[in-house]
């Protein structure tokens, strides 16, 4: 069983190499398994192609496959960078974080972190925020329905004892805060427009209802209040926590608006 | 002429693809069976799983994997196999298939179906892995011949001979992709009819049909467009040897509307009989729905 592992490691080393196939067979990652002269002899030519040209077919398909998989999870990032820069990004990313799973579902897990750390792709902070939003949407899409449970039923109107009331929160809810308005940016990119990339704080709720993912743009006070309700706080305590983090109490109009949004979007329901 | 495992002829099916989900659920087209790509439904509990459950409640389903890496030299991923087994039980998969290839090594997955050298060493290695997988899945594994673009000088037997021996040594079934046979035959210069004739007919459980693309120097198995006439001729030859077997049409690039894919699949009925289906006894509507 000595020959097969060596051939497979060599072939993989060549296929995942970002350069040409000629460069790939000469790279240390390949020659540690098979010397260049042995590599040429390892494969047969066809009637129309030399051995390395045949190997190049596989090598050429590898980045395309990674590109397609990451573009499916990060359509906004792909649209913003454009085909060439996104391809460059994909090659850099999979060189550091290659797929180690039987599914593509895990390939893009570390894209936001990678963008932040490498700083090769500008504007870095904007792209990292955009990727974080797209990642959250993918994760919410994949959540097991049996674990997620049904969305909360609409809250009943209760005239008294509002301060001690607790609300159920959508079981798939993700609350995200950003330095950039990446929600509107994603909408712009989807309709083929160039988004604004100047810093502007934004807050987003992502959740799933009947197998569809919804994204809701929130105001800051809505984000703070929903965050407190998510922790299971009764409404009175949630309002106090939101006020403390907001630096001032939430106005009655803001609270009313927040509840309209939460209930209309089915973010909260009867506890 | 049944297969040696007693697996059913499921008729003529279509690959289950995301773009057709809505159509399939709303129109419930008259399709004999669907084939789902296993890995697309393993780590998701959302809409894809819901769709597959709905499809499986209405149609026979088979699972077709792309990441088992049966020819690989990393240890078999038992966690993955446990998930495949659970999914197969959930959707009552008639069988589970994958490819004769490796997909990666040293913990990586290239997500490609990479060729292996056809040697005695490889044969022993793969046969032992197939037997282990069949034990874990508690059903015979079905393996597909992938299309390939290179050959190893170290191979000591043809792919057809390797496959024929593997099917017997590992006691597994074959998913015979006639388009892949054709693509590889052009790329490597062998006789595709001799390939088919070398296979034990009673091991063939399922057929795959698809289109390919001529790149000038080689053929590429793109699963795009319609299947070529020469490949239909190969299918006719193969099905005459094996008798009717479940036949599935794959279309993965520039996928047209469901009806167009289904029409292409149904061309298989020129070469094989339609599936004999038990007709339900006519009952009053209120009872049938009760």
């Amino acid at each position: 069983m000595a020959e097969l592992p060596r051939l497979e490691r060599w072939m993989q080393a060549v296929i995942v190499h970002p350069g040409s196939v000629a460069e790939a067979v000469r790279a240390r990652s390949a020659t540690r398994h098979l010397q260049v002269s042995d590599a040429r002899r390892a494969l047969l030519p066809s009637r129309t192609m030399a051995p390395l040209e045949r190997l190049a077919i596989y090598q050429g398909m590898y980045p395309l496959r990674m590109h397609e998989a990451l573009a499916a999870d990060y359509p906004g990032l792909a649209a913003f960078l454009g085909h060439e820069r996104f391809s460059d990004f994909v090659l850099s990313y999979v060189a550091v974080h290659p797929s180690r799973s039987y599914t593509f579902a895990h390939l893009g897990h570390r894209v936001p972190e990678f963008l932040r750390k490498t700083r090769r792709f500008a504007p870095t902070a904007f792209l990292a925020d955009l990727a974080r939003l797209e990642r959250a949407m993918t994760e919410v899409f994949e959540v097991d329905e049996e674990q997620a449970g049904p969305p909360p039923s609409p809250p009943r109107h209760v005239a008294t004892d509002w301060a001690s009331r607790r609300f159920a929160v959508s079981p798939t809810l993700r609350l995200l805060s950003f330095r950039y308005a990446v929600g509107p940016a994603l909408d712009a990119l989807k309709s083929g427009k160039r988004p604004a990339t100047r810093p502007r704080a934004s807050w987003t709720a992502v959740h799933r209802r009947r197998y569809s993912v919804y994204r809701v743009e929130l105001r800051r006070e809505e984000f703070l209040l929903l965050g407190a309700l998510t922790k299971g706080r009764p409404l009175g305590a949630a309002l106090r926590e939101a006020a403390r983090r907001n630096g001032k109490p939430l106005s009655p109009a803001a609270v009313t608006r927040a509840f309209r949004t939460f209930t209309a979007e089915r973010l909260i329901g009867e506890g | 002429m049944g297969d040696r495992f007693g697996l059913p002829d499921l008729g003529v099916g279509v690959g289950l693809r995301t773009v057709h989900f809505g159509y399939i659920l709303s129109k419930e087209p008259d399709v004999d069976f669907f084939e789902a790509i296993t890995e697309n439904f393993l780590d998701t509990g959302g809409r894809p799983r819901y769709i597959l459950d709905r499809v499986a409640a209405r149609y026979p389903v088979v699972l077709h994997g792309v990441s088992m890496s049966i020819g690989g030299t990393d240890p078999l991923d038992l966690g993955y196999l446990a998930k495949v087994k659970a999914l197969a039980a959930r959707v009552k998969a008639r069988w589970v298939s994958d490819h004769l290839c490796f997909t990666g090594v040293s913990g990586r997955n290239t997500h490609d179906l990479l060729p292996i050298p056809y040697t005695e060493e490889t044969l022993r290695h793969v046969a032992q892995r197939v037997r282990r997988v069949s034990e874990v899945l508690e059903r015979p594994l079905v393996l597909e011949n992938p299309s390939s673009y290179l050959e190893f000088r170290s191979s000591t037997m043809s792919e057809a001979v390797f496959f024929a021996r593997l099917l017997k040594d590992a006691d597994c079934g074959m998913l015979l992709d006639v388009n892949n046979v054709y693509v590889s035959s052009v790329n490597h210069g062998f006789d595709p009819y001799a390939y088919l004739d070398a296979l034990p007919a009673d091991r063939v459980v399922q057929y795959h049909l698809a289109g390919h693309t001529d790149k000038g120097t080689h053929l590429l198995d793109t699963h795009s467009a319609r299947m070529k006439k020469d490949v239909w001729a190969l299918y006719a030859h193969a099905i005459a040897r094996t008798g009717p077997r479940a036949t599935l049409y794959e279309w993965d690039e520039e996928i047209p509307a469901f009806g167009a894919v289904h029409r292409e699949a149904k061309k298989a009925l020129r070469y094989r009989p339609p599936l004999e289906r038990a007709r339900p006894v006519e009952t009053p509507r209120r009872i049938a729905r009760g």
Side-chain angles (χ1 to χ4, degrees):
Chain A
M1 253 286 289
E3 187 61 16
L4 186 60
R6 196 163 70 103
L7 266 182
E8 290 189 350
R9 288 186 193 122
W10 168 75
M11 193 170 166
Q12 178 173 279
V14 174
I15 287 169
V16 304
H17 191 279
S20 69
V21 74
E23 290 165 347
V25 293
R26 285 190 181 85
R28 172 81 188 111
S29 56
T31 57
R32 58 196 278 245
H33 305 298
L34 217 56
Q35 289 303 311
V36 178
S37 54
D38 294 334
R40 290 183 194 282
R41 280 197 295 272
L43 307 176
L44 289 170
S46 74
R47 195 172 46 81
T48 52
M49 299 178 88
L52 292 189
E53 288 175 328
R54 306 182 87 187
L55 187 54
I57 297 170
Y58 289 97
Q59 199 210 16
M61 288 191 286
Y62 175 71
L64 298 179
R65 196 170 282 108
M66 299 299 129
H67 185 121
E68 189 181 9
L70 287 169
D73 281 358
Y74 295 96
L77 182 65
F80 185 88
L81 291 176
H83 187 83
E84 206 168 309
R85 277 179 78 206
F86 188 70
S87 297
D88 184 21
F89 159 77
V90 168
L91 279 182
S92 320
Y93 176 75
V94 298
V96 181
H97 301 295
S99 177
R100 295 191 176 278
S101 169
Y102 45 83
T103 167
F104 275 125
H106 309 300
L107 179 63
H109 274 190
R110 302 179 79 172
V111 164
E113 172 198 336
F114 176 79
L115 284 165
R116 266 196 315 275
K117 281 187 179 165
T118 58
R119 312 194 68 79
R120 243 190 84 190
F121 300 90
T124 300
F126 169 80
L127 293 177
D129 267 5
L130 179 62
R132 198 154 58 84
L133 173 61
E134 295 197 293
R135 184 74 225 152
M137 292 173 69
T138 300
E139 286 172 359
V140 168
F141 178 78
E142 304 282 12
V143 169
D144 195 325
E145 187 69 9
E146 284 149 23
Q147 286 171 13
S153 52
R156 293 190 305 271
H157 179 73
V158 178
T160 57
D161 198 23
W162 58 268
S164 63
R165 285 198 68 189
R166 291 176 199 272
F167 296 91
V169 175
S170 169
T172 55
L173 177 67
R174 299 284 175 91
L175 277 173
L176 302 140
S177 65
F178 301 107
R179 286 170 57 193
Y180 294 81
V182 286
L186 188 55
D187 292 333
L189 287 163
K190 279 181 179 170
S191 53
K193 294 176 189 150
R194 197 74 190 158
T197 56
R198 61 186 175 279
R200 180 165 73 82
S202 69
W203 301 270
T204 304
V206 177
H207 73 130
R208 196 176 81 200
R209 203 167 66 233
R210 295 184 61 80
Y211 300 101
S212 294
V213 175
Y214 293 87
R215 176 164 53 81
V216 184
E217 296 304 312
L218 301 173
R219 293 162 188 257
R220 182 166 184 268
E221 60 269 24
E222 292 170 341
F223 172 81
L224 296 173
L225 180 55
L226 190 53
L229 292 171
T230 303
K231 294 175 193 164
R233 306 250 194 279
L235 181 56
L239 283 167
R240 284 195 295 280
E241 180 178 319
R244 182 172 50 75
R245 295 187 61 193
N246 193 39
K248 60 180 181 185
L250 275 59
S251 70
V255 174
T256 303
R257 192 171 51 230
F259 268 80
R260 277 205 196 109
T261 302
F262 298 166
T263 52
E265 300 288 347
R266 301 285 295 275
L267 294 169
I268 65 166
E270 193 57 42
Chain B
M1 276 192 297
D3 71 66
R4 67 179 292 109
F5 306 104
L7 294 168
D9 168 20
L10 297 177
V12 176
V14 173
L16 183 63
R17 300 294 183 262
T18 313
V19 292
H20 296 145
F21 282 177
Y23 180 87
I24 294 165
L25 289 196
S26 62
K27 305 288 184 192
E28 297 198 346
D30 187 20
V31 178
D32 292 339
F33 76 104
F34 280 100
E35 180 187 82
I37 301 297
T38 313
E39 289 77 6
N40 290 350
F41 300 93
L42 286 185
D43 284 8
T44 177
R47 190 162 184 265
R49 178 71 69 85
Y50 164 74
I51 302 286
L52 183 58
D53 285 346
R54 291 273 307 271
V55 169
R58 166 77 175 76
Y59 302 93
V61 164
V62 296
L63 290 180
H64 184 53
V66 291
S67 282
M68 193 176 285
S69 201
I70 201 74
T73 48
D74 280 357
L76 285 166
D77 184 343
L78 296 179
Y80 162 77
L81 291 176
K83 287 184 180 181
V84 173
K85 185 179 178 181
L87 182 66
R90 182 184 175 114
V91 301
K92 298 183 174 59
R94 301 319 194 257
W95 55 81
V96 172
S97 64
D98 206 292
H99 300 81
L100 177 63
C101 69
F102 81 105
T103 59
V105 71
S106 309
R108 276 178 91 142
N109 190 351
T110 66
H111 297 275
D112 201 349
L113 309 173
L114 304 174
I116 50 178
Y118 299 126
T119 64
E120 296 292 337
E121 174 199 1
T122 311
L123 183 61
R124 281 192 300 276
H125 172 69
V126 178
Q128 170 260 320
R129 283 164 73 91
V130 173
R131 285 192 293 269
R132 178 76 182 119
V133 169
S134 298
E135 272 171 30
V136 173
L137 298 180
E138 298 184 285
R139 56 171 84 212
L141 180 63
V142 177
L143 280 178
E144 177 182 345
N145 56 302
S147 54
S148 64
Y149 311 104
L150 63 76
E151 297 164 291
F152 292 97
R153 194 178 293 276
S154 56
S155 288
T156 54
M157 62 189 101
S158 69
E159 181 178 294
V161 169
F162 185 94
F163 228 119
R165 287 183 59 189
L166 176 68
L167 294 170
K168 287 178 181 166
D169 290 359
D171 195 22
C172 62
M174 182 176 193
L175 194 175
L176 179 50
D177 188 319
V178 287
N179 181 56
N180 286 349
V181 171
Y182 184 81
V183 166
S184 294
S185 76
V186 172
N187 291 343
H188 308 319
F190 65 76
D191 176 0
Y193 288 92
Y195 183 111
L196 297 179
D197 291 344
L199 299 171
D202 66 340
R203 296 275 174 180
V204 176
V205 170
Q206 184 188 342
Y207 284 98
H208 265 179
L209 309 173
H212 62 256
T213 304
D214 189 340
K215 306 296 277 187
T217 52
H218 61 283
L219 301 185
L220 202 58
D221 178 33
T222 45
H223 293 185
S224 61
R226 293 187 168 82
M227 194 161 91
K228 304 285 194 289
K229 226 167 84 180
D230 288 349
V231 188
W232 281 114
L234 268 186
Y235 173 66
H237 180 84
I239 205 108
R241 284 187 75 238
T242 62
R245 295 286 198 275
T247 298
L248 183 118
Y249 202 91
E250 299 181 292
W251 203 318
D252 290 295
E253 271 185 28
E254 297 160 27
I255 305 175
F258 185 85
V261 181
H262 194 201
R263 272 195 301 281
E264 194 63 15
K266 284 198 287 192
K267 287 183 184 169
L269 294 173
R270 296 173 188 168
Y271 310 101
R272 53 147 295 155
L275 186 63
E276 286 288 331
R277 274 190 267 189
R279 301 281 172 213
V281 178
E282 193 134 335
T283 51
R285 179 167 283 197
R286 64 180 182 281
I287 295 173
R289 285 183 171 184

